[in-house]
Amino acid sequence: ATATIGLTGLAVMGRNLARNIARNGHTIAVHNRTAAKMTALVEEFSDEAREGGGELVGSESLEDFVASIQQPRTILVMVKAGEPTDAVIDELVPLLDEGDIVVDAGNAHFTDTLRRQQALEEKGLHFVGMGVSGGEEGALNGPSIMVGGSEHAYENLGPVMESIAAVVDGTPCSTHVGPDGAGHFVKMVHNGIEYADMQLIAESFDLLRTVGGLEPAEIADVFDEWNRGDLESFLIEMTADVLRHTDAETGKPFVDVVLDQAEQKGTGRWTVQSALDLGVPITGIAEATFARSLSGHAEQRAAAREMFSTTSEEHTVEVDRDVFVDQVRAALYASKVVAYAQGFDQIAAGAEEHGWDIDLGSIATIWRGGCIIRAQFLDRIKEAYAEEPDLTTLLTTPYFADAVKDGVDAWRDVVATAAQAGVPIPAFASSLSYFDGLRRGRLPAALIQGLRDNFGAHTYQRVDRDGSFHTTWAGDRTEQEA
Ligand code: NBP
């Protein structure tokens, strides 16, 4: 046994993660169900590994793979989420010894992680659910790593992960998020926030083009400009890149030749499902997920287009182009603050529900680099939690509160203009409604309570004294204490 760590599952993610680990000085055992991928990796990258002080130790069989790892073993599983992950774990378990650590580095649902952790714990094994963000490129050059499982497991796994993670201001973007499913839960919310971020960017693009009259290449310039300010982030930078790209075949802007139906692998949906269970209004993420679904309903879209196509054309809205561009920037920033505030609320609620002690500031810290939502903005969130670890909502912290106050008029103008012009902006509009909902003195929830009491005797509370009350709606309308 020579390797300090092992990795099975050498598709794009596993292969790059293995290279990253090896060239950062670790000897890593590698295995893949289809052995050719293992052989190719070892042949192509053994020199690279040695230059970094590490080594790739390939095995064709799972038995040889396990035997080549030092005990207690740490084994990363990087295969397709769901059944393949269970299949690999089932094959591995009989070959392992007490105290070994199995790490699922795929995109598992956190409830699967909870189940697997329990099953392996009963066998004397440690199980870690680990979220890895940053896609292929991140896996190779430095991902953001959200590690669940026990403290003990992190003591073994952590140093290797911290040596391969992205680094921002000298801090590696890898942390022990919390026990059992916490790592995968946080990774799930990360992906949900990524959905919201992308939807907000897409709505900005649509508005700038449809209402502002800018061409994709001009919008690319706008995004470049935005990337030099508060909005600076990987996704904003990438948006400029994609918008500037021209299709080689037709010479048209690339964005015009791509079918406008957004796909999804499911992490956005999981985030929304979990938020519904937790009772956390993550409206930005939910609208972003539904917007992707809507885009895929081609038949309904065609029917509605045919029926209502002229309706929006009657409402062209005149705007001052430069003013409008700046208004959209402010609306994007304020909506983004809402989406992140909601995402962090969900992590806090999940931690409470599952008994995970999650340091929210450390989550913002490890999302600053390596992952898809990396952004300057996360520094501000990190600072907010450093100042007030138990803050009620990110929205009311001084920096974000000022940003929202400064942008709120523009935000309202953009939402109103979009409504008049018939441009769909579900994420912008729902974020503004969320903000207004939170800041409003009295909500019409009082009327809902009245209706519930009327049809179902569900009772209500009063503003002026304690207790639960019911009005005898069908009788003499006297109020009774319930
Ligand atoms: P895939 O998700 O496409 O999975 C392919 C790997 O799973 C191959 O190594 C394949 O082996 C193996 N596999 C399958 Br499928 N069924 C198996 C089974 N029954 N037994 C053993 N091995 C099996 O690879 P990926 O895109 O590299 O992603 C890996 C994980 O990382 C996934 O959970 C994914 O959700 C997650 N992730 C991906 C990204 C990304 O950007 N792609 C980002 C973050 C996280 P074979 O070669 O023999 O077919």
Side-chain angles (χ1 to χ4, degrees):
T2 53
T4 47
I5 192 165
L7 191 159
T8 180
L10 300 171
V12 281
M13 289 295 288
R15 174 185 158 95
N16 282 356
L17 212 58
R19 281 178 63 193
N20 190 353
I21 293 171
R23 67 186 192 191
N24 275 291
H26 309 282
T27 296
I28 178 171
V30 286
H31 170 269
N32 192 62
R33 177 179 63 176
T34 312
K37 281 186 193 155
M38 175 279 296
T39 319
L41 174 73
V42 174
E43 269 175 21
E44 272 179 70
F45 297 109
S46 282
D47 287 347
E48 176 191 81
R50 271 184 225 111
E51 274 164 34
E55 208 178 323
L56 293 163
V57 180
S59 296
E60 292 207 3
S61 76
L62 209 55
E63 289 78 5
D64 290 348
F65 166 71
V66 169
S68 69
I69 306 164
Q70 282 169 19
Q71 291 187 26
R73 304 178 185 92
T74 302
I75 299 181
L76 306 180
V77 178
M78 197 51 159
V79 299
K80 206 181 237 349
E83 280 172 25
T85 303
D86 281 319
V88 172
I89 292 171
D90 288 347
E91 275 183 69
L92 264 177
V93 165
L95 307 174
L96 301 180
D97 294 292
E98 209 174 303
D100 285 353
I101 302 164
V102 178
V103 184
D104 174 16
N107 263 344
H109 194 287
F110 73 96
T111 52
D112 282 338
T113 304
L114 291 170
R115 168 177 62 77
R116 290 172 182 142
Q117 141 116 32
Q118 239 175 12
L120 264 65
E121 207 174 78
E122 283 164 17
K123 295 187 161 71
L125 299 169
H126 297 279
F127 184 75
V128 173
M130 181 171 95
V132 180
S133 176
E136 258 181 82
E137 206 273 334
L140 183 62
N141 295 319
S144 174
I145 310 177
M146 294 144 255
V147 187
S150 65
E151 289 274 0
H152 168 80
Y154 196 79
E155 279 167 26
N156 285 274
L157 177 66
V160 181
M161 292 305 113
E162 288 177 18
S163 76
I164 65 157
V167 177
V168 177
D169 298 339
T171 307
C173 296
S174 166
T175 195
H176 181 230
V177 166
D180 52 71
H184 275 141
F185 184 86
V186 169
K187 172 64 165 58
M188 174 188 78
V189 178
H190 163 282
N191 284 26
I193 292 175
E194 185 183 303
Y195 272 54
D197 248 343
M198 286 199 276
Q199 177 64 24
L200 292 169
I201 287 173
E203 290 178 14
S204 304
F205 158 72
D206 198 1
L207 283 167
L208 293 178
R209 193 169 198 191
T210 312
V211 180
L214 281 77
E215 290 305 320
E218 294 173 303
I219 302 172
D221 292 340
V222 168
F223 274 85
D224 272 340
E225 176 72 30
W226 289 355
N227 200 39
R228 287 191 280 275
D230 281 343
L231 278 167
E232 184 198 328
S233 66
F234 180 52
L235 280 169
I236 295 278
E237 182 189 333
M238 199 195 300
T239 303
D241 190 29
V242 172
L243 288 177
R244 198 166 282 122
H245 185 57
T246 313
D247 176 50
E249 203 177 309
T250 59
K252 290 183 181 168
F254 166 79
V255 73
D256 286 345
V257 300
V258 177
L259 187 69
D260 58 344
Q261 297 181 17
E263 296 177 3
Q264 45 184 318
K265 282 192 174 168
T267 40
R269 189 178 67 238
W270 292 352
T271 313
V272 179
Q273 285 168 337
S274 149
L276 289 172
D277 289 340
L278 293 166
V280 182
I282 54 159
T283 56
I285 298 170
E287 288 293 355
T289 309
F290 287 134
R292 288 200 195 184
S293 306
L294 184 149
S295 76
H297 286 278
E299 231 176 281
Q300 289 184 339
R301 287 177 59 191
R305 196 160 52 238
E306 197 178 330
M307 177 64 72
F308 306 115
S309 65
T310 54
T311 317
S312 62
E313 282 158 18
E314 288 161 9
H315 293 276
T316 40
V317 179
E318 293 290 327
V319 294
D320 178 304
R321 188 174 142 142
D322 291 342
V323 172
F324 188 64
V325 167
D326 205 52
Q327 284 181 324
V328 173
R329 182 197 53 74
L332 173 57
Y333 194 74
S335 303
K336 187 175 158 111
V337 173
V338 165
Y340 278 69
Q342 294 176 340
F344 275 85
D345 283 351
Q346 183 173 2
I347 296 176
E352 168 102 30
E353 170 78 12
H354 297 283
W356 302 322
D357 185 17
I358 298 183
D359 171 2
L360 297 175
S362 78
I363 304 301
T365 305
I366 61 160
W367 286 352
R368 292 181 308 161
C371 63
I372 306 297
I373 63 172
R374 61 184 182 260
Q376 193 198 52
F377 180 82
L378 285 153
D379 263 329
R380 304 297 190 175
I381 298 183
K382 170 180 173 270
E383 286 159 16
Y385 281 109
E387 222 148 88
E388 208 186 326
D390 294 324
L391 58 85
T392 311
T393 162
L394 270 173
L395 268 178
T396 57
T397 59
Y399 176 81
F400 291 117
D402 284 348
V404 170
K405 276 184 204 158
D406 288 349
V408 71
D409 290 343
W411 201 5
R412 291 193 194 290
D413 279 347
V414 168
V415 169
T417 304
Q420 280 183 320
V423 176
I425 41 134
F428 272 3
S430 67
S431 301
L432 180 59
S433 279
Y434 174 85
F435 166 73
D436 280 331
L438 279 190
R439 69 169 195 95
R440 198 146 171 89
R442 290 270 302 157
L443 286 169
L447 175 58
I448 291 173
Q449 284 298 78
L451 296 172
R452 292 178 71 246
D453 189 58
N454 186 309
F455 71 68
H458 291 304
T459 76
Y460 51 89
Q461 291 173 303
R462 295 182 56 101
V463 293
D464 49 5
R465 57 180 197 274
D466 289 340
S468 292
F469 301 92
H470 168 59
T471 291
T472 53
W473 296 99
D476 60 3
R477 305 208 158 203
T478 53
E479 184 175 79
Q480 300 163 352
E481 185 141 14

